[in-house]
Amino acid sequence: MPKKILVVDDDPDILDALTMILESQDYIVVTAQNGVEGLANLKAEMPDLMILDLLMPKMDGFRVLKELQDPRWSKYKSIPILVLTSVREEASRRRYELETGLELGVDDYIEKPMPPELLLERVRKLIKN
Amino acid sequence: MERIESSYSPEEAALLMRLKVFVTMRWIAIFGMVVGTLVASEVLHIGFPTLPVYIICAVIAMYNVVFYFQLRAIGREKPGTIIHKARTYGNAHILLDLLALSVLLHYTGGIENPLIFFYVLHIILASIALHFRVVYVVATVALVMVGLLVGLEYAEVVPHVNLAGFADPTLYQSAPYILAVLLALAVILYGTTYMASAISGELRKRQRQVVQLGEQLLEEKEEELEQTSREMARLAEEKERFLQFLNIAAHDLKAPLTAIQGFLWVMIGGYSGDLNDKQRHMLERSSKRIAELLNLISDLLDIPRIESGQIIPEMKEVSLKQAVRNCLPEQRRVAREKGLRLSVELPEETLSWIRGSSPRIQQVITNLVGNALHYTEEGTINVRVIELDNDIQVEIEDTGIGIPAEDMPHVFEDFFRASNVEAKGTGLGLAIVKRIVEAHNGRIWCESPCPDSNQGSRFTFTLPKASKEARRQE
């Protein structure tokens, strides 16, 4: 059965590129352009992986991650999260710690841009787990 | 005598001190009067009633004791409130003194007694301690008292006491003599008042000026301090705004390029259909240029971030051994591809920790090893980690083309590219590496050719070990 991936990014071009790359490997791709939409799709689609951008309008990736800490979302806790952003990992970790007092608990962190082959490799690793 | 509290203003402290001198002087005066009386009556055999003198001395001693305790009580009061009270006490006691002195004068020959000029002493004391107008009043009171005494004696209203054997018993009836003495006394009293109060008034004025000057200086300093702290707060705010600006600029500059790069990779990877070789080649070249631009933007925006101290909050306890190990897999892959040997010498024992930003230190190692790999065609890249007394030292040595002697002073400069190589990166790599090392209070330098092998180049950097105190804070 094909695996389903939710991609959340405010840049439609990035969404298109990622969709093409992921669909080439027979993944089913669901997209969202901000955190609110992302969370709604997470609920509705029950994906096998979420690829999440951090800097987005309306509700950014940091707030999505914070929201997912809430017990209400415990059902979705097992879904791996891959952060794909242009923000440096260390800077993001610090910001998240400062804002929430928690450690940034994501399964993988990739700084954009990332060559398709490497991206697919990381995705494969996460979905297999 | 008790110590005067240091929190009193100089004027208050001086007044208290002077009043204490009053008390002491009065003890000396009593002692002098008793001795003088004894000498006059027993040695010089001057005939006059000594008992009243002793009684007066006793009275003076009594109120002097009272004054002594009054002063002690004032000394315990709050600073800033004591001037008025102290002056009132001082006035009262000087009036008492004048009265006692007049009675004493009556029993010791009145106008015949040359010690009539003792009043002058009081005027001097009064002008030191009291307001100058009050001193004129005191002088006048003294004069009036003496005048009254000798006048009443002259008119036989008060019986005259003759200093038998010392002065002519009819002298007190000699109007010209009386007038002359009174005139002399008046001149001396007022003259002294004028002189003494002018001097002590000037002294008090100076004291106030000193205090004022001190306060003024303090105020100025405080204002300066406030201004400096305001300025610092403003600078900190500005820095914060600048960093914010940089973060947004970095994101907005990179976002479109990242999107373009994404599409290029999609096409190059064949995810959007097949390409002919020419198209692929051009797309690959475009992708490379975009990558260069992305690197340049990252590097350019990195510099102010490092320089404004953004690394510091990222600093934790870092193991340099681990940092080197983290960088290795990717570097080994590059070395293998190029057919180079990458040898790493890590000490067996555990190294001391350093305080630093782990990704930044890895950035330094990756950059230096990357350069070594890039500029070496054959041979070995040697990475060595050594623990020194206060630092951990990392050396990256290659057998590559080396650096021309004329370029050596410039290798860490912004946008500098060595003259013997084709332009590779942004020319900012080593400049950023140096900034990162220096932000960690470390040092970096390079040697070319390497002193041992006489070829290639060697880059060395040191990072200070974390102090024990810093470790406890963790």
Side-chain angles (χ1 to χ4, degrees):
Chain A
M1 195 181 124
K3 301 282 183 180
K4 193 187 281 177
I5 300 176
L6 168 63
V7 186
V8 190
D9 198 311
D10 61 320
D11 189 327
D13 296 334
I14 300 272
L15 282 182
D16 279 355
L18 284 173
T19 305
M20 277 187 266
I21 294 166
L22 293 170
E23 279 179 348
S24 77
Q25 306 299 306
D26 294 328
Y27 293 117
I28 298 168
V29 180
V30 184
T31 62
Q33 291 210 23
N34 59 56
V36 180
E37 229 177 273
L39 283 176
N41 282 353
L42 189 70
K43 231 183 220 169
E45 304 282 346
M46 250 336 226
D48 298 286
L49 169 72
M50 174 158 73
I51 297 178
L52 181 66
D53 185 20
L54 287 182
L55 300 183
M56 289 182 293
K58 270 197 199 164
M59 183 184 198
D60 66 19
F62 293 105
R63 282 182 48 211
V64 171
L65 292 170
K66 176 91 204 297
E67 177 70 25
L68 288 175
Q69 296 299 312
D70 194 286
R72 280 186 297 145
W73 293 93
S74 56
K75 216 174 112 189
Y76 307 89
K77 259 225 131 82
S78 57
I79 299 174
I81 298 171
L82 188 160
V83 168
L84 180 66
T85 177
S86 54
V87 185
R88 279 202 313 117
E89 181 169 357
E90 203 57 25
S92 298
R93 287 191 181 278
R94 236 187 82 66
R95 178 174 158 187
Y96 190 74
E97 264 179 52
L98 277 181
E99 283 178 5
T100 66
L102 298 169
E103 239 181 83
L104 187 71
V106 297
D107 300 275
D108 204 349
Y109 192 108
I110 293 178
E111 286 172 29
K112 273 193 249 183
M114 166 73 60
E117 295 72 27
L118 292 179
L119 177 72
L120 286 171
E121 200 184 304
R122 307 278 276 263
V123 166
R124 230 170 274 136
K125 217 181 269 173
L126 283 177
I127 286 191
K128 202 160 51 182
N129 284 345
Chain B
M1 287 235 172
E2 253 177 292
R3 261 173 53 96
I4 292 167
E5 256 194 73
S6 55
S7 53
Y8 288 121
S9 75
E11 197 181 355
E12 286 176 322
L15 181 63
L16 274 182
M17 196 271 283
R18 284 164 185 166
L19 289 177
K20 283 180 179 172
V21 171
F22 265 35
V23 174
T24 312
M25 290 289 285
R26 211 172 273 121
W27 292 126
I28 295 169
I30 292 167
F31 177 76
M33 280 190 284
V34 171
V35 171
T37 306
L38 279 174
V39 169
S41 60
E42 302 302 324
V43 181
L44 303 175
H45 303 293
I46 300 170
F48 67 101
T50 50
L51 185 62
V53 176
Y54 295 134
I55 292 172
I56 292 163
C57 284
V59 169
I60 298 175
M62 262 156 54
Y63 73 70
N64 204 28
V65 169
V66 173
F67 198 21
Y68 173 75
F69 283 109
Q70 280 177 330
L71 275 182
R72 273 180 60 147
I74 287 178
R76 279 193 291 270
E77 276 180 35
K78 229 171 51 213
T81 58
I82 60 167
I83 293 240
H84 179 71
K85 211 175 198 176
R87 280 211 174 132
T88 310
Y89 287 162
N91 286 339
H93 286 265
I94 283 170
L95 285 178
L96 276 175
D97 279 343
L98 292 178
L99 200 64
L101 201 56
S102 300
V103 175
L104 191 68
L105 193 67
H106 168 65
Y107 284 108
T108 56
I111 197 80
E112 298 165 9
N113 193 340
L115 300 183
I116 197 167
F117 292 101
F118 258 47
Y119 285 97
V120 174
L121 264 182
H122 273 87
I123 298 307
I124 294 172
L125 287 179
S127 38
I128 289 172
L130 305 176
H131 195 269
F132 73 97
R133 282 198 209 95
V134 179
V135 186
Y136 281 103
V137 172
V138 171
T140 309
V141 167
L143 210 56
V144 167
M145 278 184 175
V146 177
L148 215 58
L149 177 68
V150 296
L152 288 174
E153 284 185 11
Y154 176 78
E156 307 279 8
V157 178
V158 175
H160 174 67
V161 180
N162 175 234
L163 294 174
F166 177 76
D168 183 353
T170 58
L171 193 60
Y172 79 102
Q173 287 295 340
S174 161
Y177 176 73
I178 292 171
L179 286 176
V181 170
L182 283 181
L183 188 68
L185 186 63
V187 169
I188 293 175
L189 279 183
Y190 285 120
T192 309
T193 303
Y194 172 73
M195 262 176 14
S197 60
I199 291 170
S200 67
E202 186 64 23
L203 216 63
R204 272 199 290 270
K205 209 166 99 190
R206 290 268 177 275
Q207 259 173 9
R208 282 196 206 110
Q209 280 175 346
V210 166
V211 172
Q212 255 176 18
L213 202 69
E215 279 170 0
Q216 200 182 326
L217 278 175
L218 205 69
E219 227 169 80
E220 277 172 21
K221 281 276 165 248
E222 268 170 16
E223 200 170 310
E224 254 174 56
L225 209 70
E226 217 172 281
Q227 211 174 339
T228 312
S229 67
R230 264 203 307 271
E231 185 75 4
M232 269 166 67
R234 198 182 60 77
L235 281 177
E237 204 178 294
E238 223 163 71
K239 193 176 107 178
E240 202 48 51
R241 256 208 307 273
F242 177 58
L243 284 174
Q244 190 78 28
F245 168 83
L246 278 183
N247 285 335
I248 295 167
H251 180 258
D252 289 0
L253 280 170
K254 281 166 148 187
L257 294 171
T258 308
I260 294 170
Q261 185 73 304
F263 281 141
L264 290 174
W265 280 338
V266 166
M267 288 190 272
I268 295 166
Y271 300 99
S272 60
D274 293 335
L275 300 170
N276 64 37
D277 284 351
K278 209 169 177 180
Q279 287 167 326
R280 179 190 306 279
H281 185 59
M282 280 190 293
L283 288 177
E284 273 169 358
R285 281 164 69 177
S286 309
S287 166
K288 215 176 132 218
R289 299 307 294 268
I290 293 283
E292 280 171 21
L293 190 49
L294 277 167
N295 282 338
L296 179 62
I297 291 169
S298 295
D299 283 358
L300 277 178
L301 296 175
D302 235 10
I303 290 172
R305 281 195 190 133
I306 297 165
E307 284 185 343
S308 62
Q310 217 188 25
I311 293 188
I312 292 162
E314 287 177 13
M315 289 193 183
K316 295 191 180 113
E317 294 222 322
V318 178
S319 152
L320 253 181
K321 226 157 143 179
Q322 193 53 47
V324 171
R325 284 206 188 104
N326 288 348
C327 299
L328 285 184
E330 174 63 12
Q331 308 285 12
R332 282 204 194 286
R333 190 183 60 78
V334 178
R336 242 192 332 269
E337 272 173 21
K338 253 187 121 171
L340 296 169
R341 218 173 82 80
L342 177 61
S343 105
V344 179
E345 292 175 36
L346 295 174
E348 291 278 315
E349 65 276 17
T350 34
L351 283 173
S352 298
W353 297 86
I354 58 146
R355 234 191 120 60
S357 159
S358 180
R360 291 298 192 171
I361 290 169
Q362 288 181 35
Q363 185 181 347
V364 170
I365 299 165
T366 307
N367 187 294
L368 293 176
V369 177
N371 277 350
L373 289 168
H374 186 81
Y375 295 118
T376 305
E377 286 313 316
E378 58 177 352
T380 310
I381 315 299
N382 203 355
V383 180
R384 194 180 301 125
V385 181
I386 309 161
E387 174 151 6
L388 304 178
D389 285 343
N390 301 311
D391 304 299
I392 308 281
Q393 179 166 308
V394 182
E395 296 172 4
I396 292 110
E397 197 176 313
D398 62 42
T399 53
I401 55 173
I403 302 162
E406 70 264 25
D407 286 346
M408 286 295 280
H410 307 291
V411 286
F412 294 107
E413 285 174 10
D414 293 340
F415 300 110
F416 181 78
R417 293 181 181 90
S419 51
N420 60 338
V421 293
E422 267 180 53
K424 172 210 154 197
T426 57
L428 288 171
L430 284 177
I432 290 173
V433 160
K434 184 175 159 76
R435 283 180 173 89
I436 293 173
V437 170
E438 283 172 359
H440 285 83
N441 292 322
R443 287 196 316 126
I444 183 163
W445 65 94
C446 73
E447 293 150 288
S448 181
C450 300
D452 305 333
S453 59
N454 207 28
Q455 61 172 331
S457 47
R458 181 204 278 164
F459 282 79
T460 310
F461 68 92
T462 63
L463 296 173
K465 293 184 202 172
S467 64
K468 288 206 172 70
E469 261 162 79
R471 294 205 53 179
R472 264 200 293 279
Q473 278 174 6
E474 278 297 307

